[in-house]
Amino acid sequence: MHIVRYQRHDDPHPRIGVVNDGVLSALPVAGMFELLQHRKEEIEGICADAAPACSLSEVRLLAPVDGVMEVWASGVTYLRSRDARVEESALKSVYELVYDAERPELFFKSPAWRVVVDGEPVGIRSDSELNVPEPELALVVNRFEEIVGYVVCNDMSSRSVEGENPLYLPQAKLYAGACALSPGIRPAWEVDASDLTIRLTVTRKGAVIWDGTTSTRQIRRPFSWLTAYLFHSENHPHGVVLSTGTGIVPDLDFRLHAGDLISVTIDEIGELHNPVVVGKDHFHFLRTP
């Protein structure tokens, strides 16, 4: 099962539903933000009671966030991520310290309206020569700090911007096309996310130019630890998505180019495929609510 936002071809209003074996069943909620105001066990019951509505061929799947929902992200949660940040940075000790610290690195990634979904482009900054995808498992968390599901996230990053100075992190992480999520939320009651294989593949002109794998078992911090810090001094009344960091980072000689295709697959969760473009002008299709 996957929980989805969708739009029927004959109806402009986004709706929420569940997909089972290609059949879509509508849920009686106004948006994902409303669904995530319920307890996890209540969401499970709502999904179980859904009645079949239509075929997937009749709809377009949308990003699984809406309203004033936010996407946040975690940094330096895998050893490979720590090593990559140290390699690229002029201030190496910053990343070594945060990897071993009790407090995790958490940062705002995107409001709901800026998120792109499978098939839509992701962006790289025109003022950064070193740009990479960061494939990650993301947690979908309700207002009660309960993990209710998982999605695939591509946390696009400008390594040369962040490497110049860690204080440039917002510019390295927040820009047009920097956050992509898979369309379907895999419910937490259906899958054990403690040991899932994550795979990244980058294709250029039909040929694979980079691929790598990792596993969620390599993450240093428990998911509950990350969510506890995210909710420690802030409320998320409409739910939130928290990406858990990357264990796959290409070497410093790797460069993304316009036209590359980035594919991220996480076992039992889903897939995400996005072509690469340069600059903000390709994202006029994203509109505020």
Side-chain angles (χ1 to χ4, degrees):
M1 175 193 296
H2 284 85
I3 305 170
V4 299
R5 282 181 71 236
Y6 67 95
Q7 188 175 52
R8 295 187 64 136
H9 300 320
D10 59 354
D11 183 355
H13 301 290
R15 301 182 185 278
I16 307 301
V18 294
V19 175
N20 266 314
D21 298 325
V23 177
L24 192 151
S25 303
L27 298 182
V29 292
M32 200 67 73
F33 66 90
E34 182 178 313
L35 185 67
L36 294 176
Q37 292 181 47
H38 293 273
R39 288 281 186 179
K40 178 181 175 181
E41 63 181 20
E42 295 172 338
I43 295 174
E44 183 175 359
I46 292 171
C47 291
D49 292 340
C54 62
S55 168
L56 270 180
S57 62
E58 301 176 49
V59 306
R60 179 170 72 95
L61 297 181
L62 308 173
V65 287
D66 54 19
V68 295
M69 288 180 65
E70 299 172 341
V71 180
W72 284 67
S74 313
V76 200
T77 55
Y78 288 79
L79 182 62
R80 173 60 186 134
S81 179
R82 187 204 69 174
D83 292 345
R85 298 290 95 82
V86 168
E87 183 181 16
E88 75 194 18
S89 180
L91 299 171
K92 305 181 187 304
S93 64
V94 170
Y95 300 99
E96 294 172 325
L97 290 172
V98 78
Y99 181 78
D100 293 321
E102 176 180 343
R103 183 184 298 274
E105 179 193 9
L106 301 177
F107 55 89
F108 179 74
K109 182 64 183 181
S110 179
W113 70 272
R114 289 188 182 274
V115 175
V116 300
V117 74
D118 184 68
E120 294 178 340
V122 289
I124 56 179
R125 294 184 63 109
S126 59
D127 60 351
S128 173
E129 66 175 19
L130 181 53
N131 307 279
V132 293
E134 295 192 1
E136 306 181 10
L137 178 73
L139 317 175
V140 180
V141 188
N142 65 10
R143 66 175 299 184
F144 302 103
E145 199 183 320
E146 297 172 320
I147 298 171
V148 301
Y150 307 96
V151 292
V152 181
C153 179
N154 181 359
D155 169 22
M156 294 288 291
S157 183
S158 293
R159 294 185 71 182
S160 54
V161 172
E162 183 181 2
E164 185 177 345
N165 191 314
L167 294 179
Y168 296 157
L169 176 68
Q171 296 175 75
K173 292 291 190 178
L174 282 77
Y175 57 87
C179 181
L181 298 178
S182 60
I185 299 171
R186 184 70 192 276
W189 58 87
E190 291 193 345
V191 62
D192 177 1
S194 63
D195 187 9
L196 299 177
T197 298
I198 303 174
R199 179 170 189 137
L200 167 68
T201 303
V202 181
T203 305
R204 181 174 298 160
K205 297 180 180 178
V208 174
I209 61 169
W210 203 91
D211 74 282
T213 60
T214 190
S215 169
T216 56
R217 72 175 182 273
Q218 300 296 328
I219 193 169
R220 183 178 184 276
R221 301 175 188 273
F223 297 148
S224 59
W225 192 285
L226 299 175
T227 57
Y229 270 93
L230 183 65
F231 278 76
H232 183 277
S233 296
E234 183 59 280
N235 296 314
H236 297 276
H238 293 164
V240 65
V241 174
L242 175 59
S243 204
T244 58
T246 187
I248 305 175
V249 184
D251 294 333
L252 280 174
D253 59 356
F254 176 82
R255 301 288 188 276
L256 276 175
H257 294 172
D260 289 350
L261 178 65
I262 301 170
S263 298
V264 182
T265 303
I266 302 181
D267 286 355
E268 302 188 56
I269 306 301
E271 298 182 356
L272 185 58
H273 309 277
N274 304 98
V276 176
V277 297
V278 179
K280 64 182 183 180
D281 292 340
H282 298 275
F283 296 95
H284 294 305
F285 67 90
L286 297 174
R287 295 286 186 269
T288 55

